[in-house]
Amino acid sequence: MKAGSRFLNAVSAFALSASVVASGAGVSVLASASVAEAAVVRNVQVRGAERAGEEAVRANLTIRPGVSFTNVDIDESVKRLYSTGYFSDVRIAVSGSTLVVTVSENQLVNQVVFNGNRKIKDDKLAEVVQTRPLGPYSQELVNADIERLREAYSAIGRSDIEVTTQVVPVGQGRVNLAFVINEGDRTKISNINFVGNQAYGDGRLQSVILTKESGPLSFLTRKDVYNPDKLRADEDALRQFYYNHGYPDFRIISSEAVLDESTNQYNITFTVEEGPRYRFGDVVVESTVEGVDSQDLQGLVRTRTGDTYDAAEVQKSMEAISQRVASAGYPFARVTPRGDRNFGTQTIGVSYLVDQGERAYVERIEVRGNTRTRDYVIRREFDFSEGDAFNQTMITRAKRRLEALGYFTTVNISTSPGSAPDRVVVVVDVEDQPTGAFGIGAGYSPGGDGLILEASIEEKNFLGRGQFIRVAVGGGLDDARSYSLSFTEPYFLGYRLAAGFDLFKSKTSSEDYYDYSEQGITLRVTAPITEDLATTFRYTYKKLEYDGDGDWDQGDNLSEPYEALIREGEFVQSSVSQTLTYNTLDSNTLAREGIYASVTHEFAGLGGDSEFYKIYGRARYFHLLSDEADIIGSVAVGAGHVVGTGDDLNVFDQFTIGGRQIRGFENNGIGPRMDNGDSIGGTTYFTASAEVTFPMPAFPEDFGLRGAFFADAGTLYGNDVNLRGEGVQGTDMSLRASVGAGIQWASPFGSLRVDYAVPVVKEDFDEEQQFRFSMANQF
């Protein structure tokens, strides 16, 4: 009886003093502190839920008839009802054995519109805000949407945007909501300054960072948009630049962006401390893991005593050692570099210590920020997957691979604790960038074919799948035409194999005697051997046709050499080839250091009319001649030779070279040719080139305008086409050479290059082409 009395007293206390009053400003629990005992109600009564419905209210209550509850449950129920966004006021009270829930409903949004916006379209803004048609109207949500709109406009450089709202009732508890936007002027960056830099000038450092000063073409590039995250990325870029150029003590003291509201422009200042420049001292490998011989790993080290200190080379050495040790059966082995600094000689000795690390496994790989690129395209660049052993060195390698794809403006990889002490979550944050390109190539040959044009369109991240596709068409003022289609799947059948095909068709004409056309297909697959070395296998089927539709007809009395050359009919060439490619370039857009080399051997004779063996290749070496002035030198050499393995070679089996290898000449402008001037190619060629590029004076370095001086030389000679000894010239090993100057511009429209070359050593029958330009446009 006493227990029942206590229960009735508790219920009575709730009825008199336990109520919750909630409004848009917050939630207040008006319950007597003395009421701590649980209570039970028999039913729940809902008032005011005309549109939402009583069941929707009950579904958000934590209180159930016949189940004991306290003030904590009332408070939680109020919070849940508010979180739906459908109610502007919520009150919960206990009346006898009934729980009374009284709500005031928010108005519903009938329509959301945007007024005054020009720089960002309605559909993009609709994705930014969270207020939706047929959803509840909430002032708190609208205020949050205004801030989201401000952030969206700040991201495109319009920080002085003003956003207001207009709410128009349309009856039946509905309203139309309009966001009225005053976009204002674009916020610019007037100056980017560096304080404390001695080794490098401001222009050189400005070329390193992503943020750029505003200029006449900034409205196209959008690189002059201030963003705090972008500024942090610029800090990292500066650190890596100095660390990779011999300054391990470099640090950024501060980076400030100050907005001048009177001009709506930012002034950005980086204050840095460079420290002394170091070289590598003694470099050794040490191992504490039983079964791992440090001497066997020494050859994997890329850092050399006496070289300028380079953090990137240290990292690559760690990766190579880690990969070798892991493949030997030690997945948890850890490679740690230890520096031995000598302040007197300004050298740093490096010891690569291999020891047994902690056992940790990858719980999951979480990808964020990719709006276009598919998750699996990012995940496949990792050498591990969920459940595998965690290795920090592999994280760094994956980051470098993702950056090299060219799909993203930024790539950041971090880790967080998993669900257990030996579990790690790998978090990948990326930001997609445009990966399409429209290209135009052109040349002009006075007295020859005149203007020659080629246009192409390509996409290297097709549909976000990482696939490459390119379509190109070309032609001249004469009847020359060319068409091509290329496609590459970089991970064929889920393996690191780049498989693809090339379809091509072209037609050219002799000035007087014949039309020549070819069409065919190439199937290819590329497999990596190491990080720097890859091999490619190809099969090519080509159909060629000579057609006597020029200014002559079969009734003309042609000499035997011409008849041998221009036999009418179709020919088939079926060949297989293999290419080795070696690439250590530090950048595929503007290389300053490294080597790019390839060598190909090809065999034709798998059916068809051609039987030959070819070998040809080219290598180019880049070296930074002046680090401070950013002067880049390069030298290149190339060679090729073809021999027949059956009868005589056909004209189309031999090599043709010209302006692409020796500027100042047409594409097929040198080497053996008929008396009428038609090129027949040669069996052997050699080429060499030297070039120096430099930032153009009087232009900011981050403008991307560079000048070039170059010298090219080479020869094409030999002939194994049976022309019966008549009507051929230029078969001897005569040298050709040219000198010239060029301008290359990393423009907002893409990479543009213009060259003017003058042949200084040539033959009378060579065909010249002094002027040449090319362009590739990002979109």
Side-chain angles (χ1 to χ4, degrees):
M1 189 71 179
K2 291 181 179 180
S5 176
R6 285 198 300 270
F7 175 75
L8 292 175
N9 290 337
V11 172
S12 176
F14 257 102
L16 295 174
S17 63
S19 66
V20 176
V21 180
S23 67
V27 177
S28 300
V29 179
L30 304 181
S32 171
S34 64
V35 180
E37 298 183 59
V40 178
V41 294
R42 294 181 180 178
N43 55 69
V44 176
Q45 185 180 85
V46 178
R47 300 173 181 174
E50 297 178 2
R51 291 191 301 272
E54 295 183 8
E55 289 305 316
V57 173
R58 291 189 175 94
N60 284 281
L61 298 176
T62 62
I63 303 169
R64 297 290 182 266
V67 180
S68 61
F69 66 95
T70 66
N71 284 358
V72 175
D73 295 300
I74 294 178
D75 187 45
E76 180 63 24
S77 296
V78 171
K79 291 179 180 178
R80 286 192 179 186
L81 288 169
Y82 264 107
S83 67
T84 65
Y86 284 95
F87 308 110
S88 61
D89 190 46
V90 177
R91 294 173 179 266
I92 298 180
V94 177
S95 177
S97 61
T98 301
L99 186 75
V100 180
V101 183
T102 304
V103 297
S104 296
E105 292 182 312
N106 275 322
Q107 294 176 302
L108 289 180
V109 176
N110 181 65
Q111 188 178 11
V112 179
V113 297
F114 303 92
N115 296 327
N117 56 305
R118 291 181 303 160
K119 301 301 180 181
I120 305 180
K121 302 300 182 183
D122 286 6
D123 56 340
K124 298 297 182 182
L125 294 179
E127 296 175 1
V128 172
V129 300
Q130 293 188 0
T131 301
R132 298 283 186 267
L134 303 182
Y137 173 81
S138 167
Q139 189 60 49
E140 291 183 359
L141 185 59
V142 170
N143 291 340
D145 285 339
I146 292 175
E147 291 305 313
R148 294 185 186 97
L149 291 172
R150 291 182 185 277
E151 292 174 1
Y153 272 91
S154 294
I156 64 169
R158 293 184 176 270
S159 300
D160 62 341
I161 177 181
E162 295 180 0
V163 182
T164 58
T165 58
Q166 293 178 347
V167 180
V168 180
V170 294
Q172 297 182 343
R174 295 173 180 252
V175 296
N176 286 341
L177 172 64
F179 290 96
V180 182
I181 300 172
N182 181 358
E183 295 180 326
D185 294 329
R186 200 164 70 88
T187 306
K188 300 181 179 180
I189 297 177
S190 60
N191 293 293
I192 300 177
N193 303 308
F194 296 87
V195 177
N197 52 311
Q198 301 294 326
Y200 300 98
D202 286 12
R204 180 72 176 96
L205 297 182
Q206 286 177 5
S207 69
V208 173
I209 62 178
L210 297 173
T211 306
K212 305 298 180 184
E213 293 180 354
S214 297
L217 299 177
S218 294
F219 72 97
L220 293 173
T221 65
R222 299 296 184 183
K223 293 182 178 180
D224 65 335
V225 175
Y226 168 72
N227 184 296
D229 293 334
K230 196 174 178 182
L231 198 64
R232 302 289 85 78
D234 287 339
E235 292 180 1
D236 290 338
L238 287 170
R239 291 189 190 96
Q240 290 303 316
F241 174 76
Y242 272 94
Y243 293 164
N244 295 343
H245 288 78
Y247 295 89
D249 296 331
F250 172 82
R251 66 190 185 99
I252 297 176
I253 298 174
S254 65
S255 59
E256 297 179 329
V258 179
L259 177 63
D260 185 343
E261 295 185 358
S262 63
T263 61
N264 196 31
Q265 294 182 341
Y266 278 101
N267 290 289
I268 298 177
T269 302
F270 294 93
T271 303
V272 304
E273 183 179 300
E274 293 177 329
R277 194 176 196 186
Y278 282 82
R279 294 186 176 275
F280 283 113
D282 294 334
V283 179
V284 297
V285 179
E286 301 175 3
S287 174
T288 63
V289 179
E290 185 177 353
V292 176
D293 187 353
S294 59
Q295 294 300 317
D296 294 339
L297 303 175
Q298 191 72 40
L300 301 174
V301 175
R302 303 180 61 152
T303 51
R304 299 289 184 266
T305 301
D307 289 351
T308 301
Y309 178 83
D310 188 336
E313 293 300 304
V314 173
Q315 184 61 50
K316 290 179 182 178
S317 299
M318 292 169 56
E319 293 174 11
I321 295 172
S322 178
Q323 186 176 19
R324 175 70 63 83
V325 173
S327 63
Y330 303 91
F332 297 102
R334 176 179 55 195
V335 181
T336 306
R338 296 186 305 184
D340 181 14
R341 191 186 300 259
N342 187 320
F343 294 97
T345 61
Q346 291 188 351
T347 59
I348 298 179
V350 181
S351 298
Y352 296 94
L353 177 62
V354 182
D355 62 359
Q356 192 66 36
E358 297 180 356
R359 290 180 175 270
Y361 299 88
V362 178
E363 181 171 302
R364 71 177 184 275
I365 300 174
E366 183 177 329
V367 180
R368 304 185 305 199
N370 52 316
T371 57
R372 182 167 178 266
T373 305
R374 310 292 179 94
D375 277 13
Y376 69 84
V377 173
I378 298 171
R379 293 175 181 273
R380 67 192 183 189
E381 297 301 328
F382 289 82
D383 289 329
F384 57 80
S385 56
E386 283 87 348
D388 290 345
F390 173 77
N391 189 311
Q392 182 62 46
T393 305
M394 293 184 181
I395 296 288
T396 306
R397 179 186 300 166
K399 183 176 186 295
R400 189 171 66 250
R401 285 176 177 171
L402 289 170
E403 291 172 336
L405 291 176
Y407 303 164
F408 313 107
T409 54
T410 58
V411 177
N412 292 302
I413 304 179
S414 58
T415 59
S416 60
S419 58
D422 63 344
R423 295 291 186 268
V424 176
V425 177
V426 178
V427 181
V428 186
D429 290 292
V430 298
E431 182 178 345
D432 287 296
Q433 70 176 355
T435 53
F438 174 70
I440 298 177
Y444 181 74
S445 172
D449 295 328
L451 186 64
I452 302 169
L453 295 173
E454 181 186 70
S456 65
I457 185 170
E458 68 179 44
E459 171 59 61
K460 60 184 178 182
N461 189 14
F462 184 60
L463 299 178
R465 300 174 182 270
Q467 298 165 332
F468 174 86
I469 187 169
R470 182 179 188 269
V471 179
V473 297
L477 296 179
D478 58 7
D479 293 332
R481 298 291 183 269
S482 64
Y483 312 90
S484 65
L485 169 65
S486 296
F487 177 82
T488 302
E489 166 55 60
Y491 275 75
F492 184 60
L493 299 178
Y495 295 97
R496 199 181 292 273
L497 298 173
F501 64 85
D502 306 294
L503 296 173
F504 52 88
K505 181 176 183 179
S506 65
K507 177 182 178 181
T508 58
S509 297
S510 165
E511 293 183 8
D512 301 311
Y513 301 107
Y514 65 88
D515 290 335
Y516 165 72
S517 64
E518 67 177 37
Q519 56 187 320
I521 183 172
T522 295
L523 304 177
R524 49 185 163 74
V525 60
T526 299
I529 300 174
T530 68
E531 285 290 313
D532 302 327
L533 186 65
T535 182
T536 301
F537 296 91
R538 298 180 184 86
Y539 170 73
T540 300
Y541 180 88
K542 185 189 301 184
K543 185 171 71 172
L544 309 98
E545 183 176 357
Y546 285 91
D547 184 11
D549 288 337
D551 294 337
W552 67 283
D553 57 44
Q554 295 184 16
D556 291 338
N557 184 20
L558 297 175
S559 64
E560 291 183 347
Y562 292 102
E563 290 177 351
L565 176 64
I566 59 174
R567 289 177 300 160
E568 291 189 76
E570 294 184 354
F571 303 86
V572 172
Q573 188 180 92
S574 176
S575 67
V576 292
S577 64
Q578 186 256 340
T579 300
L580 280 174
T581 304
Y582 180 70
N583 184 358
T584 63
L585 299 182
D586 59 349
S587 170
N588 289 324
T589 54
L590 181 60
R592 292 181 170 88
E593 297 284 352
I595 298 173
Y596 186 92
S598 67
V599 59
T600 300
H601 58 98
E602 179 181 4
F603 173 77
L606 306 177
D609 302 295
S610 295
E611 295 180 319
F612 63 77
Y613 172 77
K614 280 183 180 179
I615 183 168
Y616 53 94
R618 189 171 190 266
R620 189 172 185 183
Y621 169 68
F622 293 86
H623 182 66
L624 195 60
L625 301 178
S626 172
D627 203 355
E628 152 121 41
D630 198 22
I631 299 175
I632 305 169
S634 67
V635 293
V637 293
H641 182 66
V642 57
V643 294
T645 57
D647 296 330
D648 299 325
L649 291 174
N650 296 301
V651 171
F652 46 81
D653 296 334
Q654 300 195 130
F655 293 107
T656 57
I657 68 171
R660 293 187 179 92
Q661 297 83 12
I662 309 174
R663 285 161 283 194
F665 296 90
E666 287 193 1
N667 287 340
N668 301 331
I670 72 169
R673 61 186 60 244
M674 302 294 292
D675 288 340
N676 71 328
D678 288 334
S679 172
I680 61 173
T683 59
T684 307
Y685 74 88
F686 297 97
T687 62
S689 178
E691 181 173 277
V692 59
T693 68
F694 49 88
M696 288 291 289
F699 287 88
E701 189 160 345
D702 63 0
F703 190 69
L705 195 65
R706 298 180 67 85
F709 294 113
F710 58 83
D712 298 336
T715 182
L716 172 67
Y717 62 95
N719 173 55
D720 276 353
V721 178
N722 184 7
L723 299 177
R724 300 174 187 152
E726 297 183 21
V728 183
Q729 54 188 336
T731 59
D732 60 329
M733 189 176 174
S734 299
L735 182 69
R736 276 78 163 181
S738 65
V739 296
I743 296 176
Q744 56 190 51
W745 182 28
S747 75
F749 310 101
S751 179
L752 172 68
R753 171 139 188 170
V754 180
D755 287 317
Y756 182 80
V758 178
V760 293
V761 179
K762 61 180 181 177
E763 296 293 325
D764 293 338
F765 50 81
D766 290 338
E767 297 180 356
E768 300 180 22
Q769 185 186 74
Q770 287 82 19
F771 177 76
R772 175 185 294 262
F773 76 89
S774 62
M775 183 177 74
N777 178 39
Q778 297 294 320
F779 61 85

